Amino acid sequence: MNIRITGTGSALPGRILTNAELETLVDTSDEWITTRTGIKERRIAGEGEYTSTFAAEAGRNALAMAGVDPRELDLIILSTVTPDFPFPSTACIVQDMLGAVNATAFDISAACSGFIYGLSVAEKYLRSGSAKKILIIGSEVLSRIVNWKDRNTCVLFGDGAGAVVLEASEGNHQLCSTHTFSNGAHWNLLYQPGSGSRHPATDSRTIDGEMLHITMEGNEVFKHAVRAMEEASLKALEANGLVADDISLLIPHQANRRIIDATAKRLGIEADRQYTNLHRYGNTSSASIPIALDEANRLNVIKPGGKVLLVAFGGGFAYGSALITW
Ligand code: ACO
């Protein structure tokens, strides 16, 4: 069965936070952030803007490109680590905002790999015949769980959303494969300690101890990320009978320029076959790949028929890859 991406969309907050502004918040410099991460600026949600705000806008843009009416959707899968509420799912809120009255809607939690996980789940729904038109969204408002006093983390993250419409039909933009992997042994290298059942938000120690913020062992995450993204990429190549030279465009999770460079070097994919935008948006977790895919699509940087490799890594650890023939 053929499965196609028939539409892409993205949505970003208007507010830009530059490295120069961060210099006034924490002891950092544009030079440090640029050389260690490649990030120059990121987008920050304003008052009255939530994960659902950007998710719905990205979803509408993807649906418009696909020419799909929201009422035609069978399923909405939304990936986020920053839902509007612990429950109900943000996907249900977005279903309501879009008027997708015939869709089942649920969230998935796979941190920065959530969009790839979403693609993988959607692929199975389509291949089994359980759905015909699916909207997959990655949306985050990470600025609300970042510790703005911690220079180790606050410089890295940004807000935004990206989305795709996936349909079972003939034509271009074929989804050829998805692969997902988990390594729970390292769950505590990158996580948000507070607000779940271990440290409820109602417990004053959660707030006083700043447990509501992203907690990360940056160096360790870095090493695992490079190895895992290489593994997931090689799996995608092998499953499709391809080698790295066959890849037209690598769209990796946009976490850190050096993670992308190290991964691409191991694979042998040069800079002119990579799409990156982290200098403008920072790490938007599960939104990063669909935002980049939408930009690359709208800018026509993907060669028709070219092989596009998506690869992600994040908290869990959860990682994965997808291969598309454009
Ligand atoms: N400005 C200035 N100095 C800083 C800053 C900052 N913003 N942040 C850390 N430093 C300092 C540290 O305090 C340390 O100082 P010290 O030597 O006096 O102790 C020094 O810089 C070096 O710190 P390191 O942590 O060794 O710096 P490193 O080169 O490893 O870069 C970074 C840190 C950018 C976090 C890197 O480890 C990284 O990107 N890791 C991956 C983490 C990541 O991307 N996580 C996102 C989620 S997972 C994912 O999306 C893949």
Side-chain angles (χ1 to χ4, degrees):
M1 177 190 288
N2 288 311
I3 296 175
R4 294 175 62 209
I5 292 177
T6 53
T8 62
S10 55
L12 289 141
R15 161 93 167 95
I16 296 173
L17 178 67
T18 62
N19 289 349
E21 282 179 271
L22 277 171
E23 289 176 1
T24 67
L25 295 179
V26 287
D27 180 15
T28 191
S29 65
D30 174 48
E31 196 269 334
W32 192 97
I33 302 170
T34 306
T35 54
R36 300 295 180 110
T37 74
I39 299 164
K40 297 296 284 182
E41 59 190 41
R42 66 287 294 142
R43 300 299 179 98
I44 303 293
E47 205 179 328
E49 292 180 323
Y50 316 111
T51 295
S52 59
T53 314
F54 304 109
E57 190 183 334
R60 275 189 206 101
N61 292 338
L63 288 165
M65 184 186 285
V68 170
D69 186 285
R71 286 167 298 191
E72 294 176 64
L73 286 174
D74 304 305
L75 182 61
I76 298 172
I77 301 175
L78 190 147
S79 164
T80 188
V81 294
T82 51
D84 281 23
F85 306 105
F87 76 91
S89 69
T90 306
C92 277
I93 296 167
V94 171
Q95 179 210 13
D96 182 49
M97 291 168 80
L98 296 177
V101 290
N102 297 307
T104 295
F106 60 83
D107 287 359
I108 56 173
S109 171
C112 303
S113 300
F115 177 73
I116 300 290
Y117 271 56
L119 271 186
S120 186
V121 173
E123 181 190 18
K124 272 102 191 154
Y125 265 88
L126 291 168
R127 290 206 192 283
S128 70
S130 303
K132 289 199 165 46
K133 294 177 197 276
I134 303 179
L135 179 64
I136 305 137
I137 307 171
S139 185
E140 306 286 1
V141 178
L142 296 164
S143 60
R144 306 238 161 99
I145 60 165
V146 157
N147 182 352
W148 290 103
K149 293 180 195 149
D150 175 18
R151 68 177 183 174
N152 291 293
T153 50
C154 76
V155 303
L156 301 174
F157 299 99
D159 303 335
V164 301
V165 176
L166 213 59
E167 298 184 55
S169 64
E170 301 283 333
N172 54 2
H173 308 173
Q174 291 288 332
L175 180 66
C176 305
S177 68
T178 59
H179 290 93
T180 54
F181 309 82
S182 306
N183 181 359
H186 304 293
W187 65 265
N188 56 354
L189 292 181
L190 175 56
Y191 73 122
Q192 183 188 5
S195 85
S197 63
R198 291 206 191 191
H199 305 290
T202 48
D203 187 332
S204 63
R205 284 170 301 175
T206 302
I207 296 170
D208 298 344
E210 300 194 328
M211 280 197 269
L212 294 173
H213 299 134
I214 296 173
T215 301
M216 179 180 77
E217 297 284 336
N219 282 318
E220 281 303 307
V221 172
F222 192 111
K223 281 184 261 173
H224 284 281
V226 174
R227 281 196 293 264
M229 285 167 79
E230 181 191 22
E231 179 193 341
S233 299
L234 292 177
K235 190 76 184 174
L237 293 176
E238 184 196 333
N240 291 283
L242 302 172
V243 293
D245 280 351
D246 298 320
I247 298 302
S248 289
L249 196 67
L250 171 69
I251 303 184
H253 170 48
Q254 313 280 311
N256 181 313
R257 182 72 253 175
R258 291 185 299 138
I259 292 178
I260 295 172
D261 287 345
T263 306
K265 190 172 172 203
R266 282 175 178 229
L267 294 170
I269 298 179
E270 314 76 29
D272 63 346
R273 291 191 287 144
Q274 301 165 21
Y275 190 84
T276 57
N277 57 14
L278 87 166
H279 55 293
R280 286 183 279 126
Y281 305 137
N283 181 350
T284 57
S285 191
S286 65
S288 88
I289 288 179
I291 293 171
L293 181 64
D294 182 47
E295 282 191 354
N297 186 16
R298 286 174 195 267
L299 293 169
N300 282 320
V301 299
I302 315 178
K303 200 172 66 184
K307 306 290 182 194
V308 181
L309 175 60
L310 314 180
V311 63
F313 175 87
F317 292 137
Y319 53 108
S321 58
L323 199 116
I324 306 160
T325 299
W326 205 249

